[in-house]
Short mmCIF file of all heavy atoms in Angstrom, two decimals:
data_model
loop_
_atom_site.label_atom_id
_atom_site.label_comp_id
_atom_site.label_asym_id
_atom_site.label_seq_id
_atom_site.Cartn_x
_atom_site.Cartn_y
_atom_site.Cartn_z
N MET Z 913 -27.33 8.48 2.93
CA MET Z 913 -26.15 9.11 2.30
C MET Z 913 -25.21 8.04 1.74
O MET Z 913 -25.12 6.93 2.25
CB MET Z 913 -25.40 9.99 3.32
CG MET Z 913 -26.19 11.13 3.87
SD MET Z 913 -25.06 12.41 4.45
CE MET Z 913 -24.91 13.35 2.97
N GLU Z 914 -24.51 8.45 0.72
CA GLU Z 914 -23.52 7.58 0.09
C GLU Z 914 -22.24 7.51 0.99
O GLU Z 914 -21.63 8.50 1.24
CB GLU Z 914 -23.15 8.06 -1.29
CG GLU Z 914 -22.20 7.20 -2.01
CD GLU Z 914 -21.86 7.76 -3.42
OE1 GLU Z 914 -22.46 8.80 -3.83
OE2 GLU Z 914 -20.93 7.18 -4.00
N ARG Z 915 -21.86 6.34 1.33
CA ARG Z 915 -20.67 6.15 2.20
C ARG Z 915 -19.44 6.06 1.27
O ARG Z 915 -19.40 5.18 0.38
CB ARG Z 915 -20.79 4.88 3.02
CG ARG Z 915 -19.69 4.71 3.98
CD ARG Z 915 -20.02 3.85 5.15
NE ARG Z 915 -20.99 4.49 5.96
CZ ARG Z 915 -21.63 3.94 6.97
NH1 ARG Z 915 -21.40 2.72 7.32
NH2 ARG Z 915 -22.47 4.59 7.69
N LEU Z 916 -18.48 6.93 1.42
CA LEU Z 916 -17.26 6.94 0.68
C LEU Z 916 -16.12 6.09 1.25
O LEU Z 916 -15.33 5.55 0.52
CB LEU Z 916 -16.79 8.40 0.49
CG LEU Z 916 -17.74 9.33 -0.25
CD1 LEU Z 916 -17.16 10.71 -0.32
CD2 LEU Z 916 -18.09 8.83 -1.62
N LEU Z 917 -16.04 6.07 2.54
CA LEU Z 917 -14.96 5.32 3.20
C LEU Z 917 -15.51 4.71 4.50
O LEU Z 917 -16.20 5.41 5.29
CB LEU Z 917 -13.83 6.26 3.54
CG LEU Z 917 -12.69 5.72 4.37
CD1 LEU Z 917 -11.91 4.65 3.58
CD2 LEU Z 917 -11.76 6.82 4.85
N GLU Z 918 -15.19 3.44 4.73
CA GLU Z 918 -15.52 2.83 6.03
C GLU Z 918 -14.29 2.02 6.46
O GLU Z 918 -13.72 1.26 5.71
CB GLU Z 918 -16.74 1.90 5.84
CG GLU Z 918 -17.11 1.27 7.13
CD GLU Z 918 -18.41 0.49 7.05
OE1 GLU Z 918 -19.07 0.51 6.02
OE2 GLU Z 918 -18.76 -0.16 8.06
N VAL Z 919 -13.93 2.27 7.69
CA VAL Z 919 -12.85 1.51 8.30
C VAL Z 919 -13.36 0.90 9.61
O VAL Z 919 -13.99 1.55 10.41
CB VAL Z 919 -11.66 2.46 8.63
CG1 VAL Z 919 -10.57 1.74 9.41
CG2 VAL Z 919 -11.11 3.14 7.40
N SER Z 920 -13.19 -0.44 9.70
CA SER Z 920 -13.79 -1.14 10.84
C SER Z 920 -12.69 -1.95 11.53
O SER Z 920 -12.02 -2.78 10.88
CB SER Z 920 -14.86 -2.14 10.36
OG SER Z 920 -15.97 -1.40 9.76
N ASN Z 921 -12.54 -1.71 12.79
CA ASN Z 921 -11.64 -2.52 13.66
C ASN Z 921 -10.20 -2.60 13.11
O ASN Z 921 -9.59 -3.64 13.13
CB ASN Z 921 -12.18 -3.91 13.86
CG ASN Z 921 -13.58 -3.91 14.41
OD1 ASN Z 921 -13.93 -3.04 15.20
ND2 ASN Z 921 -14.38 -4.82 13.96
N LEU Z 922 -9.64 -1.45 12.67
CA LEU Z 922 -8.32 -1.42 12.14
C LEU Z 922 -7.29 -1.66 13.24
O LEU Z 922 -7.32 -1.03 14.29
CB LEU Z 922 -8.05 -0.04 11.50
CG LEU Z 922 -6.61 0.24 11.03
CD1 LEU Z 922 -6.25 -0.71 9.92
CD2 LEU Z 922 -6.50 1.69 10.55
N GLU Z 923 -6.38 -2.56 12.97
CA GLU Z 923 -5.24 -2.82 13.85
C GLU Z 923 -3.99 -2.89 13.01
O GLU Z 923 -3.99 -3.58 11.95
CB GLU Z 923 -5.46 -4.11 14.67
CG GLU Z 923 -6.63 -4.01 15.63
CD GLU Z 923 -6.72 -5.20 16.53
OE1 GLU Z 923 -5.87 -6.09 16.51
OE2 GLU Z 923 -7.69 -5.22 17.27
N VAL Z 924 -2.93 -2.18 13.42
CA VAL Z 924 -1.65 -2.25 12.75
C VAL Z 924 -0.60 -2.55 13.80
O VAL Z 924 -0.49 -1.87 14.81
CB VAL Z 924 -1.33 -0.87 12.06
CG1 VAL Z 924 -0.04 -1.02 11.29
CG2 VAL Z 924 -2.49 -0.47 11.14
N ASN Z 925 0.22 -3.60 13.50
CA ASN Z 925 1.28 -3.99 14.36
C ASN Z 925 2.59 -3.96 13.63
O ASN Z 925 2.63 -4.15 12.37
CB ASN Z 925 1.05 -5.43 14.89
CG ASN Z 925 -0.27 -5.53 15.64
OD1 ASN Z 925 -0.65 -4.65 16.36
ND2 ASN Z 925 -0.94 -6.67 15.46
N PHE Z 926 3.68 -3.76 14.30
CA PHE Z 926 5.04 -3.75 13.75
C PHE Z 926 5.90 -4.71 14.57
O PHE Z 926 5.94 -4.64 15.79
CB PHE Z 926 5.65 -2.37 13.76
CG PHE Z 926 4.97 -1.37 12.83
CD1 PHE Z 926 4.02 -0.54 13.32
CD2 PHE Z 926 5.30 -1.31 11.52
CE1 PHE Z 926 3.37 0.37 12.46
CE2 PHE Z 926 4.67 -0.46 10.66
CZ PHE Z 926 3.71 0.39 11.14
N LYS Z 927 6.65 -5.59 13.84
CA LYS Z 927 7.60 -6.46 14.47
C LYS Z 927 8.89 -5.70 14.64
O LYS Z 927 9.44 -5.13 13.70
CB LYS Z 927 7.78 -7.74 13.72
CG LYS Z 927 6.63 -8.65 13.73
CD LYS Z 927 6.88 -9.99 13.18
CE LYS Z 927 5.62 -10.82 13.31
NZ LYS Z 927 5.88 -12.20 12.78
N THR Z 928 9.47 -5.66 15.85
CA THR Z 928 10.73 -5.06 16.14
C THR Z 928 11.64 -6.05 16.80
O THR Z 928 11.20 -7.13 17.24
CB THR Z 928 10.54 -3.79 17.03
OG1 THR Z 928 10.13 -4.23 18.35
CG2 THR Z 928 9.50 -2.86 16.47
N TYR Z 929 12.86 -5.66 17.01
CA TYR Z 929 13.82 -6.51 17.75
C TYR Z 929 13.35 -6.73 19.18
O TYR Z 929 13.63 -7.77 19.81
CB TYR Z 929 15.23 -5.96 17.74
CG TYR Z 929 15.79 -5.93 16.36
CD1 TYR Z 929 16.11 -4.77 15.68
CD2 TYR Z 929 16.11 -7.15 15.66
CE1 TYR Z 929 16.65 -4.78 14.42
CE2 TYR Z 929 16.70 -7.18 14.42
CZ TYR Z 929 16.94 -5.95 13.79
OH TYR Z 929 17.49 -5.96 12.54
N GLY Z 930 12.66 -5.77 19.73
CA GLY Z 930 12.18 -5.89 21.11
C GLY Z 930 10.84 -6.53 21.26
O GLY Z 930 10.28 -6.67 22.35
N GLY Z 931 10.25 -6.97 20.18
CA GLY Z 931 8.96 -7.64 20.19
C GLY Z 931 7.94 -6.90 19.32
O GLY Z 931 8.34 -6.00 18.49
N GLU Z 932 6.70 -7.23 19.45
CA GLU Z 932 5.66 -6.64 18.58
C GLU Z 932 5.12 -5.34 19.26
O GLU Z 932 4.91 -5.28 20.42
CB GLU Z 932 4.56 -7.63 18.41
CG GLU Z 932 3.50 -7.19 17.38
CD GLU Z 932 2.47 -8.28 17.12
OE1 GLU Z 932 1.73 -8.63 18.06
OE2 GLU Z 932 2.41 -8.70 15.98
N VAL Z 933 5.03 -4.32 18.38
CA VAL Z 933 4.47 -3.04 18.82
C VAL Z 933 3.10 -2.90 18.21
O VAL Z 933 2.92 -3.01 16.98
CB VAL Z 933 5.36 -1.88 18.37
CG1 VAL Z 933 4.70 -0.50 18.67
CG2 VAL Z 933 6.74 -1.95 19.02
N LYS Z 934 2.07 -2.67 19.06
CA LYS Z 934 0.71 -2.48 18.57
C LYS Z 934 0.54 -0.96 18.33
O LYS Z 934 0.25 -0.29 19.31
CB LYS Z 934 -0.27 -3.05 19.54
CG LYS Z 934 -0.18 -4.52 19.66
CD LYS Z 934 -1.18 -5.12 20.62
CE LYS Z 934 -1.01 -6.62 20.66
NZ LYS Z 934 -2.08 -7.24 21.33
N ALA Z 935 0.68 -0.48 17.08
CA ALA Z 935 0.64 0.94 16.84
C ALA Z 935 -0.73 1.51 16.77
O ALA Z 935 -1.00 2.65 17.24
CB ALA Z 935 1.37 1.22 15.50
N VAL Z 936 -1.70 0.73 16.27
CA VAL Z 936 -3.10 1.15 16.17
C VAL Z 936 -3.98 -0.04 16.59
O VAL Z 936 -3.75 -1.15 16.15
CB VAL Z 936 -3.44 1.50 14.69
CG1 VAL Z 936 -4.92 1.84 14.52
CG2 VAL Z 936 -2.59 2.72 14.23
N ARG Z 937 -4.91 0.24 17.45
CA ARG Z 937 -5.84 -0.82 17.95
C ARG Z 937 -7.26 -0.43 17.84
O ARG Z 937 -7.65 0.64 18.38
CB ARG Z 937 -5.47 -1.15 19.38
CG ARG Z 937 -4.15 -1.84 19.55
CD ARG Z 937 -3.88 -2.14 20.99
NE ARG Z 937 -3.02 -1.05 21.52
CZ ARG Z 937 -2.78 -0.84 22.77
NH1 ARG Z 937 -3.25 -1.66 23.69
NH2 ARG Z 937 -2.01 0.13 23.10
N ASP Z 938 -8.07 -1.21 17.15
CA ASP Z 938 -9.53 -1.10 17.13
C ASP Z 938 -10.04 0.28 16.73
O ASP Z 938 -10.82 0.88 17.43
CB ASP Z 938 -10.05 -1.51 18.47
CG ASP Z 938 -11.57 -1.81 18.36
OD1 ASP Z 938 -12.06 -2.24 17.27
OD2 ASP Z 938 -12.30 -1.67 19.36
N VAL Z 939 -9.54 0.79 15.56
CA VAL Z 939 -10.03 2.09 15.06
C VAL Z 939 -11.14 1.81 14.03
O VAL Z 939 -10.99 1.06 13.13
CB VAL Z 939 -8.90 2.87 14.42
CG1 VAL Z 939 -9.37 4.13 13.71
CG2 VAL Z 939 -7.83 3.23 15.42
N SER Z 940 -12.27 2.53 14.27
CA SER Z 940 -13.41 2.42 13.33
C SER Z 940 -13.99 3.79 13.07
O SER Z 940 -14.11 4.59 13.97
CB SER Z 940 -14.51 1.50 13.92
OG SER Z 940 -14.00 0.19 14.16
N PHE Z 941 -14.32 4.01 11.80
CA PHE Z 941 -15.03 5.27 11.44
C PHE Z 941 -15.54 5.16 10.06
O PHE Z 941 -15.18 4.22 9.29
CB PHE Z 941 -14.12 6.50 11.58
CG PHE Z 941 -12.90 6.47 10.70
CD1 PHE Z 941 -12.94 6.94 9.40
CD2 PHE Z 941 -11.68 6.01 11.19
CE1 PHE Z 941 -11.80 6.92 8.56
CE2 PHE Z 941 -10.59 6.00 10.36
CZ PHE Z 941 -10.63 6.46 9.08
N HIS Z 942 -16.42 6.04 9.65
CA HIS Z 942 -16.91 6.11 8.30
C HIS Z 942 -17.08 7.57 7.85
O HIS Z 942 -17.25 8.45 8.71
CB HIS Z 942 -18.13 5.32 8.02
CG HIS Z 942 -19.35 5.87 8.73
ND1 HIS Z 942 -19.74 5.51 10.00
CD2 HIS Z 942 -20.23 6.78 8.33
CE1 HIS Z 942 -20.79 6.17 10.35
NE2 HIS Z 942 -21.17 6.95 9.37
N VAL Z 943 -16.97 7.81 6.55
CA VAL Z 943 -17.12 9.14 6.02
C VAL Z 943 -18.18 9.04 4.87
O VAL Z 943 -18.00 8.27 3.95
CB VAL Z 943 -15.78 9.72 5.42
CG1 VAL Z 943 -15.99 11.14 4.89
CG2 VAL Z 943 -14.72 9.71 6.51
N ASN Z 944 -19.20 9.84 5.00
CA ASN Z 944 -20.24 9.92 3.92
C ASN Z 944 -19.95 10.99 2.92
O ASN Z 944 -19.21 11.93 3.27
CB ASN Z 944 -21.66 10.15 4.58
CG ASN Z 944 -22.08 8.94 5.41
OD1 ASN Z 944 -21.84 7.80 5.09
ND2 ASN Z 944 -22.69 9.25 6.53
N LYS Z 945 -20.53 10.92 1.79
CA LYS Z 945 -20.40 11.91 0.78
C LYS Z 945 -20.84 13.31 1.33
O LYS Z 945 -21.84 13.39 1.98
CB LYS Z 945 -21.23 11.58 -0.44
CG LYS Z 945 -21.04 12.53 -1.59
CD LYS Z 945 -21.83 12.04 -2.82
CE LYS Z 945 -21.59 12.97 -3.95
NZ LYS Z 945 -22.30 12.53 -5.18
N GLY Z 946 -19.97 14.31 1.13
CA GLY Z 946 -20.29 15.64 1.56
C GLY Z 946 -19.77 15.97 2.97
O GLY Z 946 -19.86 17.05 3.43
N GLU Z 947 -19.23 14.92 3.68
CA GLU Z 947 -18.75 15.12 5.06
C GLU Z 947 -17.22 15.41 4.98
O GLU Z 947 -16.54 15.00 4.05
CB GLU Z 947 -18.95 13.91 5.90
CG GLU Z 947 -20.39 13.65 6.23
CD GLU Z 947 -20.51 12.46 7.15
OE1 GLU Z 947 -19.72 11.52 7.13
OE2 GLU Z 947 -21.54 12.46 7.94
N ILE Z 948 -16.74 16.08 5.99
CA ILE Z 948 -15.33 16.34 6.19
C ILE Z 948 -14.94 15.77 7.56
O ILE Z 948 -15.68 15.97 8.52
CB ILE Z 948 -15.03 17.84 6.19
CG1 ILE Z 948 -15.40 18.39 4.79
CG2 ILE Z 948 -13.55 18.10 6.47
CD1 ILE Z 948 -15.31 19.98 4.71
N MET Z 949 -13.84 15.06 7.56
CA MET Z 949 -13.40 14.42 8.82
C MET Z 949 -11.96 14.79 9.08
O MET Z 949 -11.17 14.88 8.11
CB MET Z 949 -13.55 12.89 8.67
CG MET Z 949 -13.14 12.19 9.99
SD MET Z 949 -13.29 10.42 9.73
CE MET Z 949 -11.76 9.92 10.40
N ALA Z 950 -11.62 14.97 10.31
CA ALA Z 950 -10.22 15.24 10.70
C ALA Z 950 -9.83 14.21 11.77
O ALA Z 950 -10.61 13.77 12.59
CB ALA Z 950 -10.10 16.62 11.34
N ILE Z 951 -8.58 13.78 11.68
CA ILE Z 951 -8.07 12.87 12.68
C ILE Z 951 -7.08 13.65 13.51
O ILE Z 951 -6.10 14.17 13.03
CB ILE Z 951 -7.37 11.68 12.01
CG1 ILE Z 951 -8.35 10.88 11.16
CG2 ILE Z 951 -6.73 10.74 13.03
CD1 ILE Z 951 -7.76 9.73 10.36
N VAL Z 952 -7.40 13.75 14.80
CA VAL Z 952 -6.57 14.54 15.74
C VAL Z 952 -6.15 13.64 16.93
O VAL Z 952 -6.80 12.67 17.26
CB VAL Z 952 -7.27 15.81 16.25
CG1 VAL Z 952 -7.63 16.73 15.07
CG2 VAL Z 952 -8.54 15.41 16.96
N GLY Z 953 -5.04 14.00 17.51
CA GLY Z 953 -4.57 13.30 18.69
C GLY Z 953 -3.14 13.71 19.03
O GLY Z 953 -2.50 14.47 18.30
N GLU Z 954 -2.68 13.17 20.15
CA GLU Z 954 -1.37 13.51 20.59
C GLU Z 954 -0.31 12.91 19.68
O GLU Z 954 -0.57 11.98 18.95
CB GLU Z 954 -1.19 12.93 22.02
CG GLU Z 954 -2.09 13.57 23.04
CD GLU Z 954 -1.87 13.02 24.45
OE1 GLU Z 954 -0.77 12.42 24.67
OE2 GLU Z 954 -2.73 13.16 25.25
N SER Z 955 0.92 13.46 19.82
CA SER Z 955 2.04 12.87 19.08
C SER Z 955 2.21 11.41 19.45
O SER Z 955 2.18 11.00 20.64
CB SER Z 955 3.27 13.69 19.46
OG SER Z 955 4.40 13.15 18.80
N GLY Z 956 2.38 10.57 18.47
CA GLY Z 956 2.54 9.14 18.70
C GLY Z 956 1.23 8.37 18.91
O GLY Z 956 1.28 7.20 19.26
N SER Z 957 0.09 9.00 18.64
CA SER Z 957 -1.17 8.33 18.90
C SER Z 957 -1.66 7.41 17.77
O SER Z 957 -2.65 6.72 17.89
CB SER Z 957 -2.27 9.30 19.24
OG SER Z 957 -2.54 10.15 18.15
N GLY Z 958 -0.93 7.44 16.61
CA GLY Z 958 -1.29 6.55 15.53
C GLY Z 958 -2.00 7.21 14.39
O GLY Z 958 -2.53 6.49 13.47
N LYS Z 959 -2.06 8.55 14.32
CA LYS Z 959 -2.77 9.21 13.19
C LYS Z 959 -2.14 8.86 11.85
O LYS Z 959 -2.85 8.45 10.93
CB LYS Z 959 -2.71 10.75 13.44
CG LYS Z 959 -3.33 11.22 14.70
CD LYS Z 959 -3.15 12.71 14.92
CE LYS Z 959 -1.76 13.18 14.92
NZ LYS Z 959 -1.00 12.84 16.14
N SER Z 960 -0.85 9.05 11.74
CA SER Z 960 -0.19 8.81 10.47
C SER Z 960 -0.23 7.34 10.04
O SER Z 960 -0.48 6.99 8.90
CB SER Z 960 1.27 9.26 10.50
OG SER Z 960 1.32 10.64 10.67
N VAL Z 961 -0.06 6.42 11.02
CA VAL Z 961 -0.14 4.96 10.72
C VAL Z 961 -1.55 4.63 10.26
O VAL Z 961 -1.69 3.77 9.39
CB VAL Z 961 0.32 4.17 11.95
CG1 VAL Z 961 0.13 2.66 11.73
CG2 VAL Z 961 1.81 4.42 12.23
N THR Z 962 -2.53 5.18 10.89
CA THR Z 962 -3.95 4.91 10.49
C THR Z 962 -4.17 5.29 9.00
O THR Z 962 -4.69 4.46 8.22
CB THR Z 962 -4.95 5.67 11.35
OG1 THR Z 962 -4.78 5.26 12.70
CG2 THR Z 962 -6.33 5.52 10.92
N VAL Z 963 -3.72 6.50 8.64
CA VAL Z 963 -3.94 6.91 7.25
C VAL Z 963 -3.07 6.11 6.27
O VAL Z 963 -3.55 5.75 5.20
CB VAL Z 963 -3.62 8.44 7.12
CG1 VAL Z 963 -3.66 8.87 5.72
CG2 VAL Z 963 -4.61 9.25 7.96
N GLN Z 964 -1.83 5.79 6.68
CA GLN Z 964 -1.01 4.99 5.81
C GLN Z 964 -1.60 3.58 5.58
O GLN Z 964 -1.53 3.03 4.50
CB GLN Z 964 0.41 4.82 6.40
CG GLN Z 964 1.16 6.16 6.31
CD GLN Z 964 2.51 6.10 7.09
OE1 GLN Z 964 2.78 5.13 7.74
NE2 GLN Z 964 3.25 7.13 6.97
N ALA Z 965 -2.22 2.98 6.63
CA ALA Z 965 -2.84 1.71 6.49
C ALA Z 965 -4.03 1.76 5.53
O ALA Z 965 -4.20 0.87 4.65
CB ALA Z 965 -3.30 1.21 7.88
N ILE Z 966 -4.83 2.83 5.64
CA ILE Z 966 -5.96 2.99 4.73
C ILE Z 966 -5.53 3.08 3.29
O ILE Z 966 -6.15 2.50 2.41
CB ILE Z 966 -6.76 4.23 5.12
CG1 ILE Z 966 -7.44 4.01 6.45
CG2 ILE Z 966 -7.85 4.54 4.07
CD1 ILE Z 966 -8.01 5.30 7.09
N MET Z 967 -4.36 3.75 3.04
CA MET Z 967 -3.87 3.84 1.69
C MET Z 967 -2.90 2.72 1.27
O MET Z 967 -2.29 2.74 0.23
CB MET Z 967 -3.09 5.22 1.57
CG MET Z 967 -3.95 6.40 1.76
SD MET Z 967 -3.19 7.94 1.45
CE MET Z 967 -1.79 7.94 2.51
N ASP Z 968 -2.86 1.65 2.12
CA ASP Z 968 -2.04 0.50 1.90
C ASP Z 968 -0.56 0.85 1.68
O ASP Z 968 0.14 0.30 0.79
CB ASP Z 968 -2.58 -0.30 0.70
CG ASP Z 968 -2.08 -1.70 0.64
OD1 ASP Z 968 -1.78 -2.29 1.76
OD2 ASP Z 968 -2.03 -2.35 -0.39
N LEU Z 969 -0.04 1.72 2.50
CA LEU Z 969 1.37 2.15 2.47
C LEU Z 969 2.19 1.62 3.57
O LEU Z 969 3.37 2.02 3.79
CB LEU Z 969 1.39 3.67 2.47
CG LEU Z 969 0.74 4.36 1.24
CD1 LEU Z 969 0.85 5.88 1.43
CD2 LEU Z 969 1.47 3.95 0.00
N ILE Z 970 1.66 0.69 4.39
CA ILE Z 970 2.47 0.10 5.46
C ILE Z 970 3.38 -1.01 4.92
O ILE Z 970 2.85 -1.96 4.31
CB ILE Z 970 1.53 -0.53 6.57
CG1 ILE Z 970 0.58 0.51 7.13
CG2 ILE Z 970 2.29 -1.24 7.63
CD1 ILE Z 970 1.26 1.54 7.99
N PRO Z 971 4.63 -0.88 5.03
CA PRO Z 971 5.58 -1.91 4.51
C PRO Z 971 5.41 -3.20 5.32
O PRO Z 971 5.43 -3.18 6.54
CB PRO Z 971 6.98 -1.26 4.65
CG PRO Z 971 6.79 -0.24 5.71
CD PRO Z 971 5.36 0.23 5.69
N THR Z 972 5.29 -4.30 4.56
CA THR Z 972 5.24 -5.63 5.22
C THR Z 972 6.33 -6.49 4.72
O THR Z 972 6.36 -6.75 3.51
CB THR Z 972 3.79 -6.25 4.97
OG1 THR Z 972 3.61 -6.35 3.58
CG2 THR Z 972 2.73 -5.50 5.62
N PRO Z 973 7.15 -7.03 5.57
CA PRO Z 973 7.37 -6.68 6.94
C PRO Z 973 8.06 -5.32 7.06
O PRO Z 973 8.56 -4.84 6.03
CB PRO Z 973 8.21 -7.77 7.46
CG PRO Z 973 8.97 -8.33 6.27
CD PRO Z 973 8.10 -8.06 5.10
N PRO Z 974 8.09 -4.71 8.20
CA PRO Z 974 7.77 -5.20 9.52
C PRO Z 974 6.31 -4.96 9.90
O PRO Z 974 5.94 -5.51 10.92
CB PRO Z 974 8.66 -4.38 10.37
CG PRO Z 974 8.78 -3.04 9.65
CD PRO Z 974 8.75 -3.41 8.21
N GLY Z 975 5.56 -4.19 9.11
CA GLY Z 975 4.19 -3.89 9.49
C GLY Z 975 3.19 -5.02 9.14
O GLY Z 975 3.42 -5.81 8.20
N LYS Z 976 2.04 -5.02 9.82
CA LYS Z 976 0.98 -5.95 9.50
C LYS Z 976 -0.33 -5.28 9.82
O LYS Z 976 -0.55 -4.89 10.99
CB LYS Z 976 1.16 -7.25 10.25
CG LYS Z 976 0.11 -8.27 9.95
CD LYS Z 976 0.32 -9.55 10.70
CE LYS Z 976 -0.75 -10.57 10.41
NZ LYS Z 976 -0.66 -11.74 11.20
N ILE Z 977 -1.21 -5.23 8.85
CA ILE Z 977 -2.54 -4.77 9.05
C ILE Z 977 -3.37 -5.98 9.37
O ILE Z 977 -3.54 -6.84 8.47
CB ILE Z 977 -3.13 -4.02 7.83
CG1 ILE Z 977 -2.21 -2.81 7.48
CG2 ILE Z 977 -4.58 -3.55 8.09
CD1 ILE Z 977 -2.54 -2.14 6.18
N THR Z 978 -3.90 -6.11 10.54
CA THR Z 978 -4.57 -7.33 10.94
C THR Z 978 -6.03 -7.37 10.58
O THR Z 978 -6.60 -8.40 10.39
CB THR Z 978 -4.43 -7.63 12.46
OG1 THR Z 978 -4.94 -6.50 13.19
CG2 THR Z 978 -2.99 -7.84 12.83
N TYR Z 979 -6.67 -6.16 10.50
CA TYR Z 979 -8.05 -6.15 10.00
C TYR Z 979 -8.40 -4.74 9.60
O TYR Z 979 -8.27 -3.83 10.38
CB TYR Z 979 -9.02 -6.62 11.03
CG TYR Z 979 -10.48 -6.68 10.47
CD1 TYR Z 979 -10.86 -7.72 9.68
CD2 TYR Z 979 -11.38 -5.68 10.78
CE1 TYR Z 979 -12.10 -7.78 9.15
CE2 TYR Z 979 -12.64 -5.74 10.25
CZ TYR Z 979 -13.01 -6.75 9.47
OH TYR Z 979 -14.30 -6.82 8.89
N CYS Z 980 -8.80 -4.57 8.38
CA CYS Z 980 -9.19 -3.24 7.89
C CYS Z 980 -10.17 -3.45 6.73
O CYS Z 980 -9.92 -4.21 5.84
CB CYS Z 980 -7.98 -2.46 7.46
SG CYS Z 980 -8.36 -0.82 6.88
N GLN Z 981 -11.29 -2.75 6.76
CA GLN Z 981 -12.27 -2.88 5.70
C GLN Z 981 -12.43 -1.44 5.14
O GLN Z 981 -12.89 -0.57 5.82
CB GLN Z 981 -13.58 -3.40 6.33
CG GLN Z 981 -14.65 -3.57 5.30
CD GLN Z 981 -15.89 -4.19 5.94
OE1 GLN Z 981 -15.96 -4.57 7.09
NE2 GLN Z 981 -16.94 -4.32 5.13
N ASN Z 982 -12.13 -1.30 3.87
CA ASN Z 982 -12.32 0.00 3.18
C ASN Z 982 -13.29 -0.14 2.01
O ASN Z 982 -13.33 -1.16 1.31
CB ASN Z 982 -10.99 0.40 2.56
CG ASN Z 982 -9.91 0.66 3.55
OD1 ASN Z 982 -10.12 1.20 4.63
ND2 ASN Z 982 -8.69 0.19 3.29
N PHE Z 983 -14.03 0.90 1.82
CA PHE Z 983 -14.93 0.96 0.66
C PHE Z 983 -14.70 2.21 -0.12
O PHE Z 983 -14.40 3.20 0.46
CB PHE Z 983 -16.40 0.89 1.12
CG PHE Z 983 -16.82 -0.38 1.75
CD1 PHE Z 983 -16.90 -0.48 3.10
CD2 PHE Z 983 -17.09 -1.47 0.99
CE1 PHE Z 983 -17.29 -1.66 3.73
CE2 PHE Z 983 -17.45 -2.66 1.60
CZ PHE Z 983 -17.55 -2.75 2.98
#
């Protein structure tokens, strides 16, 4: 199958006055053509930050995407 999106070992950190916050740690997934994927989780689990990182919408600073591979 044709792979449309691949994310490997995504980590997103934010620098704050209180120190560094690790918002997303070691997230990996892929989506093939014809597949549907949903990201679910508790409030504050990093769903929105994950999607924003994939779309390169994390403001730097204070955010930092330490490793993300998209296709």
Side-chain angles (χ1 to χ4, degrees):
M913 296 205 90
E914 181 182 354
R915 187 158 290 173
L916 299 178
L917 173 68
E918 182 172 354
V919 176
S920 299
N921 305 326
L922 173 64
E923 294 188 5
V924 183
N925 302 323
F926 292 96
K927 289 189 179 183
T928 69
Y929 293 113
E932 188 173 63
V933 174
K934 296 182 179 189
V936 174
R937 290 180 264 170
D938 197 27
V939 171
S940 300
F941 61 86
H942 67 269
V943 180
N944 292 323
K945 185 175 181 177
E947 291 183 332
I948 298 172
M949 184 182 131
I951 299 176
V952 296
E954 296 180 20
S955 178
S957 63
K959 301 176 300 289
S960 295
V961 173
T962 297
V963 174
Q964 289 172 354
I966 293 167
M967 296 187 303
D968 199 27
L969 296 176
I970 300 292
T972 54
K976 182 180 179 187
I977 301 171
T978 57
Y979 184 77
C980 182
Q981 181 176 356
N982 298 318
F983 294 100

